[in-house]
Amino acid sequence: MNGNYYQNPTFPTNNYQTPPGNMSVSEVSMPMEQSYIENILRLNKGKKVKAYVSYPDSSAWQNKVYEGIIEEAGRDHLIIKDNVSGTWYLIRIIYLNYVEFMEPIIYSHAYSEKTY
């Protein structure tokens, strides 16, 4: 072989520049509004909710309602504890239709924090 058939791999260089003024790196790389559902659920840990969920591929559990206290929330999941039965539920956010809160909720994004 003449050495021209396979090229040596190249990797992108890191062209990192210091943010303008006194802004931090996280302020430059993060969007201004972050009112994602998992953040709203996290802000409301400990509150009683009903989570309405649909499982489109299931004939037995097409639609289901989970009732309990928000214990944790992540990017792709919600953990609810049913205090009546003592059952814990791990619910994938992809199946979550909406959440009904039994008490006022806290909603926050980059500019303000409100209670509804």
Side-chain angles (χ1 to χ4, degrees):
M1 297 220 140
N2 63 8
N4 292 330
Y5 185 73
Y6 293 105
Q7 294 181 345
N8 288 333
T10 58
F11 300 97
T13 59
N14 185 1
N15 292 332
Y16 175 77
Q17 295 179 355
T18 305
N22 59 0
M23 294 177 68
S24 70
V25 174
S26 62
E27 289 174 322
V28 171
S29 61
M30 300 289 284
M32 289 304 287
E33 183 175 330
Q34 294 189 8
S35 58
Y36 298 114
I37 191 166
E38 71 265 15
N39 293 340
I40 297 167
L41 292 170
R42 255 188 235 117
L43 283 171
N44 290 280
K45 272 176 41 173
K47 298 200 176 181
K48 188 174 182 178
V49 297
K50 287 183 183 177
Y52 293 82
V53 180
S54 293
Y55 303 100
D57 297 334
S58 173
S59 58
W61 284 18
Q62 187 71 33
N63 297 305
K64 191 150 175 62
V65 179
Y66 297 95
E67 189 170 348
I69 305 296
I70 297 175
E71 294 293 330
E72 294 293 337
R75 179 169 269 172
D76 65 346
H77 66 279
L78 170 64
I79 298 175
I80 294 177
K81 181 184 179 192
D82 183 348
N83 284 335
V84 175
S85 68
T87 307
W88 291 70
Y89 299 104
L90 173 62
I91 303 165
R92 293 182 61 193
I93 295 288
I94 193 169
Y95 297 123
L96 184 65
N97 294 325
Y98 65 96
V99 176
E100 183 179 356
F101 289 84
M102 304 299 126
E103 53 192 290
I105 67 171
I106 298 169
Y107 176 83
S108 178
H109 59 79
Y111 299 112
S112 67
E113 184 169 308
K114 297 180 182 177
T115 301
Y116 294 93

